[in-house]
Amino acid sequence: MKRLTFITAILTLLTASSCSAQHGQTAHDATPRQQLLTLLDTVVAQHKVIFGHHDDTAYGHTWKYEADRSDVKDVVGDYPGLMNWDLGLIEHNSPVQLDSVPFDFIRDEVRKQDARGGINAFSWHLRNPATGGDSWDTSASPVEMMVTAGTALNDTLYAWLDRAADFFLSLKRADGSHIPVIFRPWHENTGSWFWWGKDYCTPEQYRALWRITYDTFARKGVDNVVWVYSPDKLTTSGEYAERFPGSQYVDVLGVDVYHFNGDEGIDDYRTRVKRQLDGAAAVAAKSGKPIALSETGCESLVVPTWWTSVLMPILEQYPVAYVCVWRNAWNNPKHFYAPYPGQASEESFKEFYANPRTVFAHDLSKIRQNIPNNEK
Ligand code: BMA
């Protein structure tokens, strides 16, 4: 466990009060969304970074659905500060999401993660409404019709958004209040592997899609969602702003970026991370919003010192609020992004965990204790 120093505790108090003032709210007026934003601001002000992992407690390398188990916890004794989950298939009223994790299970895990002081985030790999195919089915481009009033696909969009919004509204604490979560819709849109990607809609159509999403949630009274914009590959940093929906619709400037090709790919990963985070930081600078490495990782962790020699130097250079790595599939031994006991990067990950800058669930609960209305 890592301890907060007295100085950090004072800093936290100062930051929390200035953040509340910045958002124009007293602690008790703050919506769940504003509370989570205050927490992220506080983490950044303390020069810390929250560690996140997708589907962390649902399954891991070679196991699934073992109560409260987590590969991350098996290695360092604590849960990630952030758990990511995916909403894919909620649009079809399915009881399970696209990787078969039941939505009721996710709801429970969100509650547990919130109760232990951690935070939750959501991505949404939704299906292609024009073809019935998955997010990767780019054989038809529905976005233009989806944002055009009076079309059948526009009706579908509203129906699907309704279901996603209802899910967020169902995330409640024991006292009935909404649990704040991070939401990262329409992600990796500067690539062309999803049907909402760059080759399949204009910047205007993309922005319309985002705004309809945002406005629909607002109309339904969703007050517990922090909005993250998360493009993937960029040709130049300036391209980050091209499809950006607008400051009033986005709370956090994220980037999704993966490390490929092991040792040989380190320089390339660094170059792409820099290009993308520079793009995010430039937009953030205009609005004072936090930046994040919203999805990243090195599949199979083929660089055994990845956490300390590749990721940490990036986190030292950029004030990202959180970094989230992708899932450890239970049924595909090479598809994992966090270590498990005995995995080659275990020692590097333990060092990463021991670094006072990294924030896991226990650390986050301590940070919250000093923020009015955020304590657990
Ligand atoms: C991809 C892979 C797939 C998975 C999808 C959605 O990156 O992990 O196996 O189905 O994400 O979670």
Side-chain angles (χ1 to χ4, degrees):
M1 297 299 163
K2 291 166 275 180
R3 293 173 64 86
L4 275 178
T5 61
F6 176 70
I7 292 174
T8 355
I10 297 288
L11 239 179
T12 309
L13 280 171
L14 290 173
T15 313
S17 49
S18 77
C19 288
S20 303
Q22 178 191 325
H23 292 299
Q25 301 278 331
T26 67
H28 288 289
D29 290 339
T31 61
R33 172 197 191 183
Q34 285 158 336
Q35 288 169 24
L36 180 47
L37 281 172
T38 299
L39 184 59
L40 296 179
D41 285 344
T42 304
V43 167
V44 173
Q46 291 185 8
H47 308 291
K48 291 175 190 273
V49 50
I50 301 168
F51 173 73
H53 184 213
H54 181 56
D55 279 353
D56 184 73
T57 47
Y59 52 79
H61 186 71
T62 69
W63 60 270
K64 59 177 171 169
Y65 307 110
E66 292 181 28
D68 301 322
R69 186 165 174 193
S70 146
D71 279 345
V72 168
K73 181 165 168 278
D74 282 353
V75 172
V76 295
D78 196 6
Y79 293 99
L82 178 150
M83 290 186 192
N84 192 74
W85 309 98
D86 199 277
L87 281 185
L89 284 182
I90 196 114
E91 67 277 10
H92 285 293
N93 267 334
S94 165
V96 301
Q97 54 82 281
L98 80 167
D99 294 313
S100 305
V101 186
F103 285 111
D104 285 346
F105 175 91
I106 294 177
R107 203 179 279 110
D108 282 349
E109 293 303 306
V110 164
R111 265 191 226 118
K112 285 191 202 169
Q113 172 70 352
D114 176 67
R116 65 172 74 95
I119 57 177
N120 294 278
F122 282 85
S123 44
W124 191 9
H125 287 90
L126 71 174
R127 294 184 78 83
N128 185 325
T131 63
D134 60 22
S135 293
W136 294 264
D137 177 6
T138 55
S139 62
S141 316
V143 176
E144 181 176 7
M145 286 298 122
M146 288 171 82
V147 301
T148 305
T151 66
L153 284 173
N154 186 247
D155 291 345
T156 303
L157 174 62
Y158 279 102
W160 288 9
L161 293 176
D162 225 52
R163 288 172 190 159
D166 284 342
F167 179 82
F168 288 125
L169 289 170
S170 77
L171 300 175
K172 289 183 184 165
R173 293 177 173 145
D175 66 2
S177 62
H178 288 146
I179 299 172
V181 296
I182 287 168
F183 184 35
R184 184 167 59 89
W186 313 121
H187 65 305
E188 300 176 10
N189 62 319
T190 50
S192 294
W193 45 89
F194 296 137
W195 54 258
W196 56 88
K198 188 177 172 175
D199 288 350
Y200 311 113
C201 56
T202 64
E204 291 70 31
Q205 288 160 1
Y206 178 82
R207 283 195 283 266
L209 187 64
W210 185 287
R211 287 172 188 171
I212 290 173
T213 307
Y214 184 99
D215 289 341
T216 304
F217 276 40
R219 223 173 14 252
K220 285 190 62 97
V222 178
D223 61 357
N224 54 331
V225 160
V226 162
W227 296 81
V228 181
Y229 178 62
S230 61
D232 193 296
K233 67 173 187 183
L234 304 174
T235 313
T236 63
S237 296
E239 199 189 328
Y240 188 96
E242 246 172 49
R243 286 168 185 252
F244 181 60
S247 275
Q248 65 276 44
Y249 300 100
V250 174
D251 298 312
V252 177
L253 291 316
V255 302
D256 286 16
V257 51
Y258 278 86
H259 182 154
F260 305 110
N261 300 326
D263 284 335
E264 281 176 27
I266 293 176
D267 284 346
D268 172 58
Y269 176 65
R270 287 196 180 119
T271 304
R272 286 181 292 112
V273 169
K274 179 171 168 30
R275 187 186 301 146
Q276 291 177 225
L277 282 176
D278 281 348
V283 175
K286 290 185 197 142
S287 55
K289 294 177 197 282
I291 59 172
L293 252 174
S294 38
E295 214 188 288
T296 193
C298 175
E299 190 177 31
S300 294
L301 286 158
V302 288
V303 179
T305 56
W306 193 74
W307 306 99
T308 39
S309 69
V310 179
L311 183 60
M312 205 59 210
I314 292 167
L315 303 179
E316 271 154 13
Q317 220 184 326
Y318 292 91
V320 301
Y322 68 90
V323 52
C324 185
V325 298
W326 201 239
R327 69 200 196 103
N328 285 15
W330 61 273
N331 54 355
N332 178 351
K334 291 198 165 156
H335 195 46
F336 67 86
Y337 295 87
Y340 50 84
Q343 199 277 325
S345 77
E346 187 177 2
E347 287 313 311
S348 173
F349 191 69
K350 284 182 176 163
E351 222 182 287
F352 176 79
Y353 166 77
N355 189 313
R357 288 200 55 217
T358 58
V359 174
F360 285 65
H362 181 74
D363 307 315
L364 201 51
S365 73
K366 294 280 171 210
I367 292 172
R368 281 178 192 251
Q369 278 170 13
N370 295 307
I371 308 175
N373 224 25
N374 248 300
E375 57 284 73
K376 288 275 131 199

